[in-house]
């Protein structure tokens, strides 16, 4: 994109503070590893997602895009719940293996795996 990482991070923080997007850190047992790994970006509103990515109504006819939209919906709902309850939400990826969402409750953690059925 031609901008420095600090500038990108600042712009991203503006979008996060206005509740347009949120990022999830990659899950790890060590906080240093969580901070070092990449983040996954989600939109709070699916319509904003489709507009920002210029998807329009084509999402409804494409099973892959529809799956990503549903993943975004679930992530936004869980993020809202996580913020209210003080629990962290993560994703986990190691190579080709991924768990879409991890609700890191201290005694009853939950994981949600992405699966697109066509």
């Amino acid at each position: 994109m031609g901008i420095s990482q600090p500038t990108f991070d600042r712009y991203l923080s503006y979008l996060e503070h206005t509740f347009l997007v949120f990022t999830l850190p990659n899950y790890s047992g060590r906080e240093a590893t969580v901070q070092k790994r990449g983040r996954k970006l989600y939109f709070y509103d699916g319509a904003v997602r489709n507009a920002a990515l210029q998807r329009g109504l084509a999402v409804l006819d494409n099973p892959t895009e529809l799956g990503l939209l549903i993943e975004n919906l679930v992530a936004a709902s869980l993020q809202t719940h996580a913020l209210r309850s003080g629990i962290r939400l993560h994703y986990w990826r190691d190579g080709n293996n991924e768990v879409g969402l991890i609700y890191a409750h201290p005694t009853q953690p939950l994981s949600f795996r992405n699966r697109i059925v066509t």
Side-chain angles (χ1 to χ4, degrees):
M1 290 178 32
I3 60 174
S4 67
Q5 187 66 43
T7 301
F8 176 81
D9 289 339
R10 189 173 65 246
Y11 290 165
L12 181 59
S13 74
Y14 296 155
L15 294 173
E16 288 178 320
H17 282 94
T18 57
F19 291 98
L20 290 173
V21 301
F22 63 96
T23 58
L24 297 181
N26 194 330
Y27 181 79
S28 175
R30 295 183 31 208
E31 187 62 32
T33 305
V34 169
Q35 297 301 322
K36 189 169 40 172
R37 290 187 178 171
R39 297 170 289 180
K40 198 167 180 181
L41 179 87
Y42 289 100
F43 291 82
Y44 276 104
D45 186 322
V48 173
R49 174 199 178 270
N50 291 345
L53 300 176
Q54 299 180 352
R55 298 295 195 258
L57 293 177
V59 171
L60 303 176
D61 296 327
N62 183 330
T64 302
E65 280 293 323
L66 186 58
L68 293 170
L69 183 62
I70 292 169
E71 176 187 349
N72 195 96
L73 170 71
V74 172
S77 298
L78 281 173
Q79 175 68 356
T80 301
H81 181 68
L83 288 173
R84 295 184 86 211
S85 62
I87 307 291
R88 290 182 74 182
L89 189 62
H90 300 269
Y91 79 99
W92 177 82
R93 183 182 301 134
D94 186 21
N96 290 334
N97 301 315
E98 180 174 326
V99 174
L101 299 164
I102 298 173
Y103 184 73
H105 190 279
T107 59
Q108 297 175 334
L110 296 171
S111 65
F112 301 85
R113 183 175 157 247
N114 302 346
R115 182 165 180 231
I116 299 173
V117 179
T118 58

